[in-house]
Amino acid sequence: MILVTGGAGYIGSHTVVELLNEGKDVIVIDNFSNSKKQTLDSIKKITNKDFKFYEIDYLDREKLEKVFKENQIDSVINFAGFKAVGESVIKPLDYYINNISGALTLLDVMKKYNVKKFVFSSSATVYGEPEKIPITEDCKIGGTTNPYGTTKLYIEQILKDLYKSDNTWDIVILRYFNPVGSHESGLIGEEPNGIPNNLMPYIVRVASRQLKELSIFGNDYDTKDGTGVRDYIHVVDLAKGHIKALQKLEKDQGLFIYNLGTGNGYSVLDMVKTFEKVTGKKVPYKIAPRREGDIATCYSDPTKAKKELNWEATKTLEDMCKDAWNYIEKNGKK
Ligand code: WQD
């Protein structure tokens, strides 16, 4: 069985859908700190499949052990964790406790029950100010500019030290670029609590008139139109990358690191224009000062994942905009 922590969350839920579609036996744990129970029903509706669920906090060691005692777990995908960059600057302790102590508790329980196949949800943020563009996995990491990114950096280090101490662990670290969009059904999608930090959730709320206008954080970067350039990847492409990562662990031993991105860089204005073209909705915006900690350009070289996982992103920026808007249209408020 595959244990998915944070499986009711944005990327977790899309990955559970793909796991179930592949006929895998899945156990989800989630404490609904940044997700909702209804998502679990949506997953069942999309896949017409069932799965086990425990409403627990992965920091609760006793309850977590119970999951391992009651089930034959073969591998674990760890999505659980807080992920808002801005919030992490305000509440660093919450982020270090939840993301790092949570991962440590999970890994220690896995060790106790001899479960040693682990897929970790990391982030391109670990590259800090990228050494080169496009970014390859051998680029230096570090220099993270916020506690959220630093938790990802530290957990990667923990995994490397763990593997060095005991190479019977099989680990895949997946460095996500910018996940956007939603499942085509419109039943699951991104619902950040409160005012969104990220670009796409903000754009869809402006298009649906829940927010007045988009603030574009700076148009004086050294990019083609002065606005920030990122590697946006459809969340379903990202989810499918996890299936490939599990398949890798079924046949190879070791610790592996992969960028999950499209290899294409799009600017904020590219995103706004594409969204307007695809949806027919206007996205009024104003140019605002740069956001603290932002970098000008960040996009991946996804060659390694293509070669070693036989994985590549296939969905376009248009698909991402269409699916993101479809989710909001189908789910009203948010
Ligand atoms: C994208 C671009 C902004 C909002 C972060 C984390 C990363 C992952 C994704 C969790 C930038 C611009 C944004 C707005 C804007 N998080 N922007 N107005 O900062 O690249 O990455 O979120 O997994 O780990 O580091 O994503 O969507 O916040 O910003 O102009 O209201 O959009 O300046 O150029 P980011 P983002």
Side-chain angles (χ1 to χ4, degrees):
M1 297 186 88
I2 297 161
L3 172 64
V4 180
T5 72
Y10 173 44
I11 300 167
S13 58
H14 284 85
T15 302
V16 171
V17 163
E18 298 307 325
L19 288 168
L20 294 171
N21 287 343
E22 289 284 316
K24 302 289 184 189
D25 285 331
V26 176
I27 308 162
V28 172
I29 64 172
D30 204 302
N31 67 351
F32 299 129
S33 60
N34 192 23
S35 58
K36 53 193 187 55
K37 194 165 174 36
Q38 182 200 335
T39 301
L40 302 175
D41 299 330
S42 300
I43 292 170
K44 290 173 187 168
K45 212 164 153 193
I46 292 169
T47 60
N48 198 20
K49 300 257 177 76
D50 204 350
F51 52 90
K52 282 180 107 171
F53 173 69
Y54 293 77
E55 184 176 351
I56 64 163
D57 185 330
Y58 72 152
L59 275 162
D60 183 330
R61 185 178 178 115
E62 197 185 332
K63 290 199 177 122
L64 185 61
E65 287 217 30
K66 187 167 177 289
V67 179
F68 281 78
K69 277 195 194 100
E70 292 178 355
N71 300 282
Q72 177 55 47
I73 296 170
D74 305 306
S75 49
V76 176
I77 308 180
N78 184 35
F79 291 106
F82 297 147
K83 62 161 191 168
V85 169
E87 184 186 54
S88 78
V89 176
I90 299 159
K91 306 178 183 172
L93 273 186
D94 293 7
Y95 273 68
Y96 286 117
I97 290 166
N98 187 41
N99 294 11
I100 295 182
S101 305
L104 288 170
T105 306
L106 176 61
L107 290 164
D108 201 31
V109 170
M110 286 176 70
K111 177 165 165 277
K112 179 173 179 179
Y113 289 86
N114 201 33
V115 178
K116 294 188 172 176
K117 290 185 188 302
F118 188 70
V119 178
F120 176 56
S121 155
S122 188
S123 166
T125 318
V126 301
Y127 292 111
E129 181 67 42
E131 188 180 4
K132 66 177 166 57
I133 297 286
I135 302 173
T136 51
E137 289 83 352
D138 58 356
C139 280
K140 71 170 177 46
I141 60 173
T144 45
T145 56
N146 57 76
Y148 157 77
T150 304
T151 67
K152 296 299 185 183
L153 189 69
Y154 287 0
I155 297 168
E156 286 202 11
Q157 187 56 55
I158 290 163
L159 294 171
K160 290 165 191 166
D161 291 342
L162 175 61
Y163 179 69
K164 216 159 91 187
S165 74
D166 172 1
N167 65 9
T168 63
W169 281 84
D170 295 315
I171 294 166
V172 174
I173 291 172
L174 297 175
R175 291 174 180 161
Y176 305 163
F177 279 72
N178 287 57
V180 294
S182 308
H183 187 267
E184 59 190 10
S185 65
L187 291 173
I188 52 176
E190 190 173 13
E191 295 188 34
N193 301 330
I195 302 282
N197 283 302
N198 295 137
L199 181 63
M200 181 63 97
Y202 207 103
I203 285 179
V204 293
R205 280 163 184 73
V206 170
S208 59
R209 300 195 186 299
Q210 296 166 63
L211 293 169
K212 182 168 154 293
E213 66 181 348
L214 172 71
S215 298
I216 296 184
F217 299 142
N219 67 346
D220 58 351
Y221 284 103
D222 181 17
T223 62
K224 64 174 186 176
D225 59 23
T227 64
V229 170
R230 296 290 184 274
D231 183 334
Y232 298 100
I233 175 170
H234 196 292
V235 66
V236 172
D237 278 331
L238 196 65
K240 289 180 173 168
H242 292 74
I243 307 299
K244 297 288 188 181
L246 284 176
Q247 288 167 357
K248 174 79 177 169
L249 291 184
E250 280 156 13
K251 65 179 176 46
D252 292 334
Q253 279 67 48
L255 181 147
F256 309 95
I257 301 176
Y258 300 103
N259 288 336
L260 292 189
T262 64
N264 304 313
Y266 290 107
S267 74
V268 179
L269 285 172
D270 286 332
M271 183 67 93
V272 169
K273 289 184 188 115
T274 305
F275 186 90
E276 290 183 331
K277 186 182 78 169
V278 161
T279 64
K281 293 290 171 190
K282 281 307 286 168
V283 179
Y285 66 82
K286 70 176 187 221
I287 302 298
R290 291 184 176 192
R291 180 173 64 177
E292 186 63 33
D294 270 357
I295 55 179
T297 300
C298 175
Y299 60 88
S300 69
D301 173 341
T303 314
K304 191 180 174 195
K306 169 76 183 140
K307 211 159 105 264
E308 296 186 15
L309 299 181
N310 187 27
W311 170 89
E312 65 182 334
T314 59
K315 290 179 182 285
T316 63
L317 198 66
E318 287 76 7
D319 296 329
M320 297 175 213
C321 293
K322 176 171 64 66
D323 292 337
W325 179 241
N326 179 45
Y327 179 73
I328 289 292
E329 276 203 312
K330 287 215 165 62
N331 294 274
K333 62 159 194 65
K334 290 173 195 89

